[in-house]
Amino acid sequence: MAIALLLSLFFLSLFHPLHSSTDSFIYGGCSQIKYSPGSPYESNLNSLLTSLVNSATYSSYNKYSISGSTQQDVINGIYQCRGDLAMPDCATCVARAVSQLAPLCSQSCGGALQLEGCFVKYDNTSFIGDEDKTVVMKKCAPSAGYDPAVMGRRDAVLASLGSAGGLYRVGGSADVEGVAQCVGDLSTGKCQDCVTEAIGRLKTDCGGAVFGDMFLGKCYAR
Ligand SMILES: *[C@@H]1O[C@H](CO)[C@@H](O)[C@H](O)[C@H]1NC(C)=O
């Protein structure tokens, strides 16, 4: 009985990877500049992060700016949940991301974290609304020889992601699945430009790989 349950959980996790891994860590990074413990920066950052977590209960994207007493105390924050996440899952994901950012970026002025289901970023430099095509994380399957049939389906999926429009895009061709997501502060044009860049890099950097992940500063394609 216990083994049957374990087996069915195992198969569930095989066939529903997107659902079971919403909280999986993809990347995280922190700015070099630190703030002083107990400073206004710290309390402003805490209220900013609380605002992000609260907002994720009703919106899949939001941005906040908190102004302190001086110019240097302004902190900008943003989050974006993957477009297919229901609200309770979005809130859970953003809460997890924020709780992982605290130990990861202890006393850093800025930090960013991407989980499977959501992205969170804050900094006291201005970045909201700006496009950012820096490659933050990429992963390609080990090359197993070039299979023209698979690559044809990959190219079809990537082309459909490129032309789908919107912040969240999905595409599929037989066994090949694709997903792309922009952060919601990007305009339609900037999102399109970012996704086009991610797709182009997947093709060049991941060559004949059967899967690839390309995470840029404000968008990704997989
Ligand atoms: C960010 O905050 C740190 C620490 O208070 C400060 O040294 C830095 O100049 C600030 N940066 C900006 C762009 O305000």
Side-chain angles (χ1 to χ4, degrees):
M1 183 65 181
I3 288 174
L5 182 65
L6 276 179
L7 274 178
S8 56
L9 284 175
F10 173 70
F11 284 114
L12 271 178
S13 64
L14 270 185
F15 293 119
H16 298 280
L18 292 181
H19 293 286
S20 58
S21 59
T22 299
D23 300 328
S24 303
F25 178 86
I26 294 181
Y27 70 78
C30 320
S31 69
Q32 296 290 320
I33 308 174
K34 304 267 183 179
Y35 59 81
S36 326
S39 62
Y41 197 102
E42 183 171 51
S43 51
N44 288 339
L45 177 58
N46 287 338
S47 43
L48 175 83
L49 294 177
T50 303
S51 301
L52 297 181
V53 171
N54 289 340
S55 173
T57 59
Y58 60 85
S59 174
S60 61
Y61 155 77
N62 220 335
K63 61 179 161 81
Y64 285 90
S65 292
I66 299 221
S67 312
S69 47
T70 74
Q71 197 64 36
Q72 293 195 339
D73 289 337
V74 179
I75 317 178
N76 305 297
I78 206 164
Y79 71 88
Q80 174 69 59
C81 286
R82 204 178 60 210
D84 62 331
L85 282 201
M87 275 312 113
D89 299 331
C90 176
T92 305
C93 189
V94 171
R96 291 261 164 85
V98 164
S99 67
Q100 290 183 33
L101 270 165
L104 182 75
C105 295
S106 174
Q107 285 160 36
S108 285
C109 286
L113 190 95
Q114 175 80 55
L115 302 180
E116 277 284 336
C118 63
F119 170 77
V120 173
K121 176 174 176 157
Y122 64 87
D123 209 332
N124 67 339
T125 60
S126 107
F127 65 90
I128 292 174
D130 296 344
E131 197 176 348
D132 179 359
K133 295 190 278 186
T134 316
V135 178
V136 188
M137 211 287 294
K138 77 169 175 184
K139 196 161 89 184
C140 309
S143 187
Y146 189 88
D147 181 337
V150 176
M151 287 304 110
R153 294 202 290 279
R154 180 204 66 172
D155 289 346
V157 170
L158 291 180
S160 73
L161 292 182
S163 60
L167 292 174
Y168 173 67
R169 308 165 181 206
V170 285
S173 173
D175 54 339
V176 182
E177 295 179 351
V179 60
Q181 175 78 60
C182 289
V183 182
D185 61 329
L186 294 190
S187 65
T188 304
K190 285 176 179 172
C191 174
Q192 184 60 38
D193 189 55
C194 193
V195 170
T196 302
E197 173 84 10
I199 289 170
R201 283 185 172 273
L202 274 179
K203 287 188 181 178
T204 54
D205 297 11
C206 288
V210 294
F211 72 77
D213 295 336
M214 189 61 63
F215 288 84
L216 308 184
K218 282 282 180 75
C219 74
Y220 63 74
R222 314 177 76 183

